[in-house]
Amino acid sequence: MSSSSAELIQRIESRDATVAVVGLGYVGLPLLAVVADAGFRAVGFDADPAKIEMLKAGKTYLPHLPPSVVDSIVTARERITLSANAEVLGGSDAVLLCVPTPLDENRIPDLNYVGQAARDVGKHCAGRSPAELLVVLESSTYPGTTRDIVASAVAEESKHETAKVLYAYSPEREDPGNPDFTTRTIPKLVGGLDEASTDAA
């Protein structure tokens, strides 16, 4: 384990890390609430300004979510930054990508949202020194997306050739509308591109 990944892990364990959630849909919004609830500084980014305005007003655009999810975001407002501007990602230690991957006419996931989210991360996050950055893809997709799409796009967009970014995949595990299982209680699978990435994730 490198010294910088050890530092990142320590920041995560001590809740001194800033965790960003990209895409505030049925996966990302409850995840943002849980992240803030766990004591992290949290950033919620969605490209749709209407969603951000509704959340800031304490309203939800996802009817299946219990009011407690948005209530917890409002309650933790001092620890949560909400924005439709990707620049808000800049101070993040970990970024969780929860963007849509709709199926195309051939029933193959459309990865345009994933690619754009990764480019936003590369542009605004990668290359911070000395800490490493953890990027976790949560969107439903096929094997190889984390390495071939996310890592490639982050590296392409980053202006810092020496940037050390850790990558992992943790497929979404939401069961929308099921009151018996919540984001906190559904087990998660996590796989990193290398040992340091797995440890941090």
Side-chain angles (χ1 to χ4, degrees), residues 20-197:
V21 178
V22 177
L24 302 179
Y26 76 95
V27 173
L29 186 56
L31 187 58
L32 177 68
V34 169
V35 165
D37 235 16
F40 291 99
R41 290 183 304 276
V43 172
F45 166 67
D46 197 286
D48 183 351
K51 289 182 179 178
I52 299 300
E53 291 311 310
M54 286 187 74
L55 290 175
K56 286 181 176 179
K59 299 175 182 174
T60 184
Y61 40 84
L62 297 171
H64 73 274
L65 282 184
S68 59
V69 172
V70 175
D71 290 347
S72 68
I73 290 173
V74 171
T75 302
R77 187 165 286 168
E78 71 282 355
R79 283 196 315 280
I80 297 179
T81 302
L82 299 168
S83 181
N85 185 334
E87 289 181 7
V88 76
L89 302 174
S92 304
D93 298 291
V95 183
L96 314 179
L97 306 181
C98 305
V99 294
T101 49
L103 299 179
D104 66 17
E105 63 275 5
N106 298 313
R107 303 196 58 76
I108 296 171
D110 177 349
L111 300 181
N112 284 319
Y113 293 109
V114 171
Q116 182 57 56
R119 287 190 293 276
D120 287 339
V121 170
K123 182 175 181 181
H124 299 292
C125 300
R128 296 175 311 123
S129 179
E132 290 179 341
L133 171 70
L134 172 65
V135 179
V136 182
L137 177 61
E138 302 227 358
S139 306
S140 296
T141 184
Y142 46 78
T145 304
T146 305
R147 177 181 288 106
D148 300 338
I149 305 295
V150 175
S152 176
V154 170
E156 250 176 58
E157 195 64 36
S158 174
K159 305 297 185 237
H160 305 271
E161 291 182 12
T162 60
K164 177 59 178 169
V165 184
L166 305 173
Y167 296 98
Y169 182 58
S170 182
E172 64 175 71
R173 303 278 289 162
E174 284 297 316
D175 192 2
N178 187 335
D180 298 325
F181 296 96
T182 67
T183 302
R184 274 191 181 278
T185 61
I186 297 175
K188 289 282 283 178
L189 301 171
V190 177
L193 292 192
D194 54 29
E195 188 177 350
S197 298

